[in-house]
Amino acid sequence: MNLNKRLQDNTVEIDYGFAPARYLTVFFISLGVSVLLSATYFTLMSYSLWFILITWIVGADLIIVGVIWHIMMGFAGSKKLSRKLNKQFIDFLRKIWDGKGKVLDIGTGAGRAAVESARAFPETEVTGIDIWTNAWVRFGLSKERAQRNAQLAGVNDRCVFKKGSALEIPFEDNSFQLVVSSFVFHEIRIPDRIELFREAIRVLEKNGTFVICDAYRYIKGYNVDDIMELVNKIQQLGAANVGYISIQDAGTDIVFAGRFWKIGFIYGKKI
């Protein structure tokens, strides 16, 4: 069985997952159960009423936190939903881009957008950049995993990974036909995140396309009040046909978490 067939049959696992999402769910719920078991013991042994009440409350709260975390962030560690998001991302790219040329993935992590773009569009050369800090590497988002995923997907000849910051992309102006990013911009703490879009547009060639998938709940990080104000702000950077579409409208069924975090695509072209 060749590699592409094995990938289609899911007998080869490409892992882009955000492991802490799973770990924290298990941690909170397990700890909560342990505390409730202790509360049961304290009750049977007739400990102080206040001590027993506090133990029961703490145990119940930990379980509630675990459940809420799973509802809000479970999609980030779910391989099933990860595959859905990957497909939706590629389907959206096909609608607005011709699939040819050089691609840049900003904040590539384990190579999700880079590898999936290279797999879907055989006439591309893809570069993924990231600073791969120690904290993210411990969570599995490393250059080595990105390279392994590219190899597993059979695109390592067209997919390379380099160290580079989203704030100072290490490429000349007009270097790429497509710039993408997936769940990265909201993690970068700067006075105005519009600078991230400015850099992304800078390295695009004229008429090049950008697609930034992210959680836009905390829109204040762009010094705007709503998504449409952000869209207008991006257009002032030298972009046209800028728009926003939520993942619900694009067809993904992580409805509650998607709406809460306002996950969606901001897209457009350089003019």
Side-chain angles (χ1 to χ4, degrees):
M1 184 183 294
N2 64 37
L3 183 59
N4 286 334
K5 177 63 176 172
R6 291 165 66 198
L7 284 168
Q8 292 172 2
D9 293 343
N10 295 323
T11 56
V12 171
E13 190 66 48
I14 296 178
D15 187 7
Y16 307 118
F18 181 56
R22 298 191 299 269
Y23 298 157
L24 286 172
T25 297
V26 173
F27 171 77
F28 283 123
I29 293 178
S30 298
L31 185 59
V33 170
S34 298
V35 173
L36 288 181
L37 289 174
S38 298
T40 302
Y41 172 79
F42 297 149
T43 302
L44 293 174
M45 298 302 294
S46 300
Y47 275 60
S48 164
L49 178 60
W50 283 109
F51 184 74
I52 292 171
L53 285 174
I54 290 171
T55 308
W56 278 104
I57 291 170
V58 169
D61 284 347
L62 285 168
I63 291 175
I64 290 170
V65 168
V67 171
I68 292 174
W69 174 265
H70 179 70
I71 292 171
M72 304 306 298
M73 290 297 298
F75 72 92
S78 167
K79 293 180 180 179
K80 180 180 178 181
L81 285 176
S82 178
R83 287 192 290 270
K84 286 186 177 182
L85 285 170
N86 295 342
K87 182 179 183 303
Q88 181 191 36
F89 176 73
I90 295 303
D91 288 346
F92 185 72
L93 280 183
R94 286 196 173 105
K95 293 177 182 178
I96 64 172
W97 183 56
D98 65 6
K100 300 176 182 179
K102 293 182 178 180
V103 180
L104 176 67
D105 175 21
I106 300 173
T108 192
R112 179 196 301 274
V115 172
E116 292 301 318
S117 297
R119 286 178 67 188
F121 304 105
E123 296 182 64
T124 57
E125 295 178 4
V126 185
T127 300
I129 64 167
D130 206 311
I131 58 174
W132 291 294
T133 61
N134 289 334
W136 290 112
V137 169
R138 291 191 189 99
F139 293 148
L141 302 181
S142 66
K143 182 178 181 180
E144 290 72 23
R145 174 167 285 184
Q147 291 171 328
R148 178 179 180 273
N149 285 335
Q151 186 174 17
L152 285 173
V155 296
N156 51 309
D157 60 328
R158 295 185 293 105
C159 198
V160 299
F161 300 96
K162 299 180 179 181
K163 192 165 187 176
S165 170
L167 294 170
E168 295 182 10
I169 297 173
F171 293 97
E172 299 294 329
D173 297 1
N174 311 310
S175 295
F176 297 92
Q177 284 71 52
L178 174 70
V179 172
V180 298
S181 186
S182 180
F183 296 101
V184 173
F185 282 19
H186 71 279
E187 295 285 353
I188 300 175
R189 304 291 188 263
I190 55 175
D192 191 345
R193 291 195 190 113
I194 197 66
E195 295 304 318
L196 301 171
F197 278 95
R198 189 187 307 277
E199 268 294 275
I201 292 169
R202 177 184 68 79
V203 298
L204 272 175
E205 69 170 18
K206 185 177 180 180
N207 295 320
T209 301
F210 62 88
V211 177
I212 309 300
C213 178
D214 204 13
Y216 293 101
R217 178 172 179 79
Y218 301 108
I219 202 73
K220 296 291 186 182
Y222 295 95
N223 293 330
V224 297
D225 293 323
D226 55 48
I227 284 286
M228 292 315 299
E229 188 178 349
L230 175 57
V231 165
N232 291 332
K233 195 171 181 179
I234 294 168
Q235 289 186 152
Q236 295 171 16
L237 299 177
N241 303 320
V242 181
Y244 168 81
I245 183 171
S246 70
I247 59 169
Q248 291 79 35
D249 291 338
T252 297
D253 57 359
I254 52 172
V255 177
F256 184 78
R259 286 179 178 167
F260 179 82
W261 294 115
K262 295 186 178 178
I263 298 172
F265 302 107
I266 287 182
Y267 58 92
K269 289 184 175 293
K270 182 176 181 177
I271 57 176

